């Protein structure tokens, strides 16, 4: 069982109370939390934008001006890099000509910063939240060596088609070394990549909500044999953090850090196909959603069909649901995306796509032109 976790001393009710009295331009976590991560009553932070550029300048500044910045280096992962980071593992040919794809995943306990000044005692796969985006091709043989270096028992439960002993389910397969993996132990999961689509993996040890909410999850992509059309691809894992362990989330995000893609908009090439692998792993709230401004996208639920099922600007996902979104941006500019559950949006689940001709506007140059980068000029996106 888990030791009693430390509380960061903020509550969601307190945050929302702050949001209700704050001006719309101040709906950023930094502004709400204050520099000590506890002051929700102060309302709008002092650091607003003077120029009104890009339409969200005030929002942008409010989100970190009063609350400092997240130390991505200390976290050991950067949400902008995580976005397009696909882990293909190591491959070799089997005697029968098939590809064998292998990974090693280590569970580690690690404190991470999920919003400026808000620390969270996470449980991680390979030191990051979400864990690595594992990517394979339909029909390959997959092998995942799982090492439990955490102080708690864990597993890796993959969504997909496989035998019961490879399901990462405690109580099933213990006799064969599967089931619950105790601290210091390891187990190698093996199965074939099926079906193609967008899946996920997560720990399945009880209490399940706690083990997942601590950060033990990741996206799992199985590409169809014939592949998909060339695109700028990115992974968005919608998550949240119950920072005071009251079974309600205080921080909501895509890829862990609240408001990260407000502070650092995602650079998009105008007219190029963009493909978003969207996964919902949020615990303690039954519904999450993704809404895009100024555009529509094709939606492939679970990614298991090659024809989209809907042309829309909003998708709703329950826990464990996922889907692939495809779109092109016809116009330059900043386009917001956020949970259409407005409460989540105001507690971190908001971001921007920055669309422009890359020859004229790199993300770093654009960000520098608009606003001061929160973590210094030496580390452009
Ligand atoms: Cu676990």
């Amino acid at each position: 069982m888990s030791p009693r976790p430390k509380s960061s001393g903020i509550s969601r009710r307190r945050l929302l109370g702050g949001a209700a009295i704050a001006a719309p331009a101040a709906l950023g976590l930094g502004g709400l939390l204050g520099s000590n991560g506890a002051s929700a009553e102060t309302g709008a932070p002092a650091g607003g934008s003077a120029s009104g550029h890009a339409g969200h300048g005030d929002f942008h500044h409010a989100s970190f001006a009063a609350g400092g910045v997240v130390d991505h280096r200390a976290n050991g992962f950067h949400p902008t890099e995580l976005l397009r980071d696909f882990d293909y593992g190591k491959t070799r040919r089997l005697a029968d000509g098939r590809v064998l794809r292998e990974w090693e995943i280590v569970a580690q306990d690690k404190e991470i910063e999920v919003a400026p000044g808000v620390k969270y005692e996470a449980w991680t796969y390979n030191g990051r939240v979400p864990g690595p985006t594992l990517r394979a091709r339909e029909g390959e043989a997959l092998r995942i060596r799982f090492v439990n270096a955490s102080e708690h028992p864990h597993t890796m439960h993959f969504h997909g088609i496989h035998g019961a002993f490879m399901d990462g389910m405690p109580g099933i397969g213990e006799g064969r070394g599967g089931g619950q993996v105790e601290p210091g132990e390891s187990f190698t999961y093996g199965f074939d990549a099926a079906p193609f689509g967008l899946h996920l993996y997560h720990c399945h040890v009880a209490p399940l909500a706690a083990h997942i909410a601590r950060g033990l999850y990741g996206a799992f992509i199985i590409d169809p044999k014939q592949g998909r059309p060339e695109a700028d691809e990115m992974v968005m894992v919608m998550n949240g953090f119950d920072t005071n362990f009251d079974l309600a989330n205080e921080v909501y995000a895509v890829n862990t850090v609240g408001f990260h893609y407000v502070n650092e908009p995602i650079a998009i090439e105008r007219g190029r196909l963009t493909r978003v692998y969207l996964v919902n792993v949020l615990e303690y709230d039954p519904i999450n959603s993704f809404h895009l401004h100024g555009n529509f996208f094709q939606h492939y639920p679970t990614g298991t069909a090659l024809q989209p099922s809907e042309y829309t600007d909003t998708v709703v996902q329950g826990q464990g649901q996922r889907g692939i979104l495809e779109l092109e941006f016809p116009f330059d500019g900043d386009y917001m995306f956020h949970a259409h559950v407005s409460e989540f949006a105001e507690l971190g689940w908001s971001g921007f796509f920055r669309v422009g001709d890359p020859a004229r506007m790199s993300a770093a140059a654009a960000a520098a032109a608009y606003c001061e980068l929160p973590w210094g000029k030496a580390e452009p996106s």
Side-chain angles (χ1 to χ4, degrees):
M1 274 300 125
S2 332
R4 180 73 193 150
K6 270 194 304 202
S7 163
S8 70
I10 58 168
S11 76
R12 166 171 164 157
R13 190 176 301 273
R14 206 165 153 75
L15 284 172
L16 288 171
I21 60 165
L27 294 176
L29 260 188
L32 294 173
L33 294 176
S35 56
N36 61 3
S39 171
E41 272 74 30
T42 50
S49 163
S51 58
H53 51 240
H56 67 276
D58 290 333
F59 189 99
H60 177 152
H61 281 275
S63 63
F64 65 85
V69 299
V70 165
D71 188 343
H72 301 296
R73 219 169 256 128
N75 276 354
F77 58 90
H78 193 300
T80 296
E81 291 162 10
L82 226 147
L83 201 61
R84 296 179 173 97
D85 181 13
F86 300 96
D87 188 339
Y88 292 92
K90 287 186 183 145
T91 59
R92 60 190 163 93
R93 288 267 168 202
L94 296 171
D96 65 1
R98 292 173 71 207
V99 169
L100 171 67
R101 195 175 292 276
E102 297 178 284
W103 295 270
E104 181 168 281
I105 304 292
V106 181
Q108 303 163 248
D109 304 341
K110 182 176 175 181
E111 186 182 77
I112 60 172
E113 193 177 5
V114 298
V118 181
K119 302 287 176 62
Y120 183 75
E121 290 180 29
W123 299 344
T124 73
Y125 289 125
N126 286 7
R128 43 173 274 179
V129 180
T133 297
L134 305 184
R135 189 158 187 178
R137 190 168 290 262
E138 181 186 10
E140 291 175 340
L142 309 184
R143 222 177 258 170
I144 305 100
R145 179 165 185 266
F146 173 57
V147 178
N148 187 359
S150 163
E151 290 180 13
H152 312 275
H154 298 302
T155 68
M156 290 184 80
H157 162 73
F158 284 84
H159 288 222
I161 300 170
H162 49 246
F165 295 123
M166 294 300 168
D167 196 42
M169 182 62 206
I172 298 174
E174 257 77 5
R176 297 214 202 165
Q180 188 159 301
V181 181
E182 300 297 331
E185 294 185 346
S186 66
F187 180 72
T188 299
Y189 299 95
F191 45 83
D192 291 348
F196 78 77
L198 170 58
H199 311 308
L200 65 154
Y201 63 91
H202 57 84
C203 178
H204 217 296
V205 171
L208 188 53
H211 277 251
I212 294 175
R214 286 295 192 109
L216 289 170
Y217 46 76
F220 173 41
I221 299 171
I222 299 179
D223 289 317
K225 277 194 174 122
Q226 65 274 39
R228 296 181 192 274
E230 194 282 328
D232 178 16
E233 299 191 313
M234 58 195 76
V235 175
M236 294 192 184
V237 177
M238 302 191 287
N239 54 2
F241 296 91
D242 172 16
T243 59
N244 60 359
F245 301 96
D246 65 350
L247 307 184
N249 296 301
E250 279 71 48
V251 174
Y252 294 84
V254 161
N255 297 337
T256 301
V257 177
F259 291 118
H260 175 77
Y261 303 113
V262 172
N263 291 331
E264 185 172 337
I266 297 170
I268 297 287
E269 200 176 324
R270 175 166 42 81
R272 183 179 175 193
L273 181 64
T274 296
R275 180 175 297 122
V276 177
Y277 293 91
L278 181 74
V279 183
N280 179 35
V281 298
L282 188 66
E283 288 291 338
Y284 309 126
D285 289 287
I287 294 289
N288 208 336
S289 59
F290 174 103
H291 167 59
L292 175 64
H293 287 207
N295 210 341
F296 269 58
F297 50 82
Q298 300 287 357
H299 180 222
Y300 304 74
T302 322
T304 45
L306 296 173
Q307 294 304 318
S309 66
E310 193 183 15
Y311 187 52
T312 181
D313 63 5
T314 304
V315 288
V316 173
Q317 294 183 346
Q319 286 160 344
Q321 273 194 302
R322 61 274 184 193
I324 297 174
L325 323 180
E326 285 185 351
L327 70 161
E328 290 175 18
F329 289 89
F331 309 115
D332 286 357
D334 285 356
Y335 297 93
M336 194 179 190
F337 61 94
H338 61 91
H340 220 296
V341 186
S342 307
E343 176 190 344
F344 299 177
E346 290 164 357
L347 290 172
W349 184 168
S350 298
F352 282 89
F353 290 111
R354 177 159 289 165
V355 182
D357 179 347
R360 293 187 294 115
M361 187 172 81
S362 73
Y370 283 136
C371 301
E372 202 174 314
L373 283 172
W375 48 82
K377 310 241 183 293
E379 193 186 329
S381 59

